Amino acid sequence: AIETGVAKITEMDWDAYREKLKERLGLSKEIIRVMIHKAQQKPKKVVYPEGEEENIIRAAHAVLNDGIAQPILLGNEKIIKQEVERIGYDLNEFTIIDPENCDKCEDYAKAFFERRKRKGATLYDSRNLIRKPNYYGSMMVAQGDADAMISGYSTSYPNTIRPALQCIGVREGLSVVSGMYIVIAKKETYFFADCTVNVNPTKEQLAEIAISTADAVKEFNVEPKLALLSFSNFGSAPYPESVKVQEAVKLIKQKRPDLLVDGEMQADTAVVPEIIEKIFPFAEIKGGANVLIFPNLDAANIAYKLMARIGQATVIGPILLGMAKPVHVLQRGASVDDIINMTAIAVVDAESKNIRRR
Ligand code: ACO
């Protein structure tokens, strides 16, 4: 038995805990299995700017052999080849591009300059910038030479998505990108947003984040039920912060009457069905929400991290929503499995963006 300071955990409790963990991992695998299966129907070209990293090379080998994607590794060719040989893979499996020394650098630099010449870019600066792997990878996707980019294994979140925002930008008709996490808790699976990008979204941005999240959730074959969260329940505490959330709900209902959404509401109102049934029977979502939209980045980022660390939820993400073309960001030091899963999500994203364009 172990003394935790709060309670004694006996050997039997540990067994029960391990069983519960297995169940939850089973659930997370199921969600990912849907994406892997979809990706295998239409594999795509995926570029990895951190191609010199061992975990990226191992994931690239796996996605190629599992028919999920055709990987492209960016980085120093000599270093990547040495690493591939050290791991023991066949060099012929890998498409390697060195952004420091490649055929397309000048084309990409000119395209980048064209895109950003009225935003302070010069051709000279563009030539230098494009040699940085996150810029080169983003331009590959922008120019259609790759279908998706996966990055962030060794760079900070802002430094990973800024090049993508500059080279690719948001999807037509949208104004914000946002980050969603799948949170697999003890009993249920939830989708949290925006956990990673917009520090203090306006009511219009919040509505857009909610709609993008709902559409992304449908890709996982899950019917979204959205709750827009606040410290206030349906007008109980009318401060500017909660009124913003209330107004975002109105905007969503106007724009997308097909969506099941309500708010503003407190987090327990959203996830405990009896609270809605007994106290707020007029609410449009019944049986508990599965998509939780947070009022700002503080709340969302803190919530998902607490769920992972204290709530022992399995969290998958961040899944970047709203980009014109797919770019997805890894957690620093992501495992090979995480990179494979994110690649499958990016491939499915690329296909659904293709369908939307057709
Ligand atoms: N949605 C859409 N486009 C955006 C957004 C957004 N949320 N933010 C910036 N842009 C656009 C800008 O309008 C600009 O476009 P333009 O230059 O073509 O006109 C382009 O992106 C680049 O803008 P910058 O000004 O260079 O970038 P900025 O300094 O605004 O940074 C960033 C954007 C990196 C997303 C910033 O908002 C940020 O750092 N957010 C917080 C990220 C963070 O730290 N998250 C928490 C940790 S992540 C984790 O826990 C996994």
Side-chain angles (χ1 to χ4, degrees):
I2 297 170
E3 196 70 62
T4 63
V6 181
K8 240 182 203 171
I9 299 175
T10 65
E11 284 302 325
M12 250 183 73
D13 291 334
W14 275 116
D15 285 345
Y17 174 76
R18 271 192 222 103
E19 276 311 305
K20 281 221 164 68
L21 199 65
K22 252 201 248 160
E23 261 174 45
R24 292 220 307 284
L25 287 174
L27 194 61
S28 73
K29 284 211 180 90
E30 191 46 46
I31 281 224
I32 284 301
R33 234 192 309 268
V34 171
M35 292 316 241
I36 289 186
H37 181 71
K38 282 191 181 185
Q40 285 167 331
Q41 311 301 307
K42 294 238 161 104
K44 305 268 182 247
K45 278 189 260 173
V46 177
V47 59
Y48 300 87
E50 292 144 322
E52 295 169 14
E53 299 286 348
E54 175 173 350
N55 278 8
I56 298 284
I57 294 172
R58 287 186 182 277
H61 167 80
V63 296
L64 181 73
N65 286 286
D66 292 350
I68 295 169
Q70 295 122 29
I72 302 164
L73 300 177
L74 300 187
N76 180 292
E77 195 168 344
K78 201 169 145 209
I79 295 177
I80 296 177
K81 282 184 170 167
Q82 272 170 1
E83 199 57 11
V84 168
E85 277 172 349
R86 185 186 66 76
I87 299 170
Y89 294 151
D90 179 357
L91 266 178
N92 296 320
E93 280 185 356
F94 297 93
T95 304
I96 302 169
I97 298 175
D98 185 349
E100 288 280 356
N101 177 24
C102 72
D103 301 340
K104 293 246 172 158
C105 276
E106 187 59 16
D107 290 351
Y108 288 174
K110 283 185 177 151
F112 182 83
F113 171 64
E114 268 314 304
R115 199 180 153 85
R116 304 202 53 86
K117 63 189 175 194
R118 289 180 185 274
K119 292 184 174 167
T122 64
L123 186 54
Y124 178 84
D125 288 342
S126 303
R127 286 190 178 114
N128 287 330
L129 216 51
I130 220 64
R131 291 171 200 281
K132 296 184 181 196
N134 277 332
Y135 277 92
Y136 192 93
S138 298
M139 281 314 286
M140 281 190 82
V141 176
Q143 298 294 91
D145 293 330
D147 300 302
M149 176 172 103
I150 303 281
S151 187
Y153 180 85
S154 58
T155 45
S156 77
Y157 196 82
N159 288 340
T160 309
I161 67 166
R162 194 174 286 110
L165 286 171
Q166 292 178 356
C167 299
I168 299 169
V170 288
R171 205 171 78 210
E172 215 183 307
L174 296 184
S175 62
V176 284
V177 300
S178 53
M180 172 180 89
Y181 272 90
I182 306 169
V183 177
I184 298 161
K186 277 183 193 138
K187 290 193 199 144
E188 305 285 346
T189 296
Y190 300 93
F191 297 82
F192 284 21
D194 164 22
C195 302
T196 59
V197 186
N198 301 279
V199 176
N200 194 10
T202 62
K203 62 183 176 189
E204 290 83 7
Q205 289 171 332
L206 205 53
E208 201 182 300
I209 290 165
I211 292 170
S212 296
T213 309
D215 288 338
V217 167
K218 288 183 185 170
E219 291 289 347
F220 289 89
N221 297 350
V222 172
E223 202 42 45
K225 282 198 273 177
L226 288 88
L228 272 81
L229 301 185
S230 170
F231 51 82
S232 168
N233 272 320
F234 305 101
S236 68
Y239 288 85
E241 290 80 359
S242 56
V243 171
K244 170 182 94 170
V245 178
Q246 202 175 72
E247 288 178 351
V249 173
K250 279 190 206 146
L251 290 174
I252 301 166
K253 287 183 176 173
Q254 278 164 16
K255 282 191 189 164
R256 289 287 298 271
D258 60 303
L259 291 176
L260 265 179
V261 54
D262 221 330
E264 90 291 356
M265 69 179 85
Q266 294 177 356
D268 53 352
T269 307
V271 299
V272 181
E274 296 78 47
I275 299 183
I276 291 258
E277 272 164 36
K278 289 197 180 122
I279 312 177
F280 309 107
F282 56 86
E284 288 179 25
I285 53 166
K286 312 274 180 224
N290 55 10
V291 179
L292 304 184
I293 304 297
F294 292 82
N296 58 40
L297 191 55
D298 270 341
N301 193 274
I302 291 166
Y304 100 77
K305 292 201 172 183
L306 287 180
M307 285 299 291
R309 298 294 177 167
I310 299 182
Q312 278 143 7
T314 306
V315 301
I316 302 172
I319 298 165
L320 202 55
L321 309 176
M323 295 288 301
K325 293 185 169 186
V327 171
H328 288 285
V329 184
L330 299 167
Q331 311 236 34
R332 271 199 210 228
S335 71
V336 177
D337 277 350
D338 290 340
I339 302 166
I340 297 169
N341 295 343
M342 204 45 98
T343 304
I345 289 169
V347 169
V348 175
D349 190 9
E351 178 57 16
S352 67
K353 284 188 165 91
N354 268 348
I355 291 169
R356 235 179 269 131
R357 262 194 292 272
R358 270 180 221 148

